[in-house]
Amino acid sequence: QLAESGGGLVPAGGSLRLTCTASGRTFSSYSMGWFRQPPGKERESVAAITWTGARTDYGDSVKGRFTVSRDNAKNTVALQMRSLKPEDTAVYYCAKARERWRTAVAGPDFGSWGQGTQVTVST
């Protein structure tokens, strides 16, 4: 089970930190990802991180502004978002890879999803 928190309303140029908390004892063996779905648009990949945190991947639109990290001792993965833009407005989802010990980047690589948290960036 995955639960996102930290969403909200923020002015353009501001920052926000999302956290995803996972249940279970095998969290440290799964790659994790963040995705978002803007209103009326397709879901897109935002960021991904391998089980050790050694590798991270970012969508082109967030590179240099967002940072993904994880704390395996706390079963959490975070998404630090800076220099937010109105086009970052979306429902943000946390996801867990389908397989242990495998790098996961694209949507089909992930098998478990959270309920999502709304992020709204005002102009």
Side-chain angles (χ1 to χ4, degrees):
Q1 189 173 2
L2 303 172
E4 303 94 339
S5 61
L9 176 65
V10 61
S15 299
L16 207 58
R17 183 178 179 89
L18 305 182
T19 300
C20 173
T21 302
S23 60
R25 293 181 290 179
T26 59
F27 175 79
S28 62
S29 60
Y30 286 92
S31 293
M32 299 293 294
W34 286 97
F35 291 79
R36 69 185 182 186
Q37 187 164 18
K41 296 185 178 181
E42 298 284 318
R43 183 184 67 194
E44 62 179 351
S45 176
V46 175
I49 186 168
T50 51
W51 58 99
T52 63
R55 170 180 166 174
T56 56
D57 292 274
Y58 296 93
D60 289 340
S61 61
V62 307
K63 283 179 182 177
R65 300 189 298 121
F66 291 12
T67 303
V68 61
S69 61
R70 66 189 297 158
D71 185 338
N72 286 340
K74 297 181 179 179
N75 275 22
T76 59
V77 58
L79 184 68
Q80 179 67 51
M81 305 184 292
R82 299 180 177 87
S83 302
L84 283 161
K85 306 175 182 179
E87 51 264 42
D88 293 318
T89 294
V91 178
Y92 283 71
Y93 297 91
C94 172
K96 188 177 81 170
R98 292 185 182 277
E99 299 181 44
R100 300 173 72 178
W101 320 118
R102 294 289 297 272
T103 299
V105 179
D109 298 335
F110 296 88
S112 299
W113 299 81
Q115 293 297 308
T117 185
Q118 177 70 46
V119 171
T120 302
V121 184
S122 62
T123 55

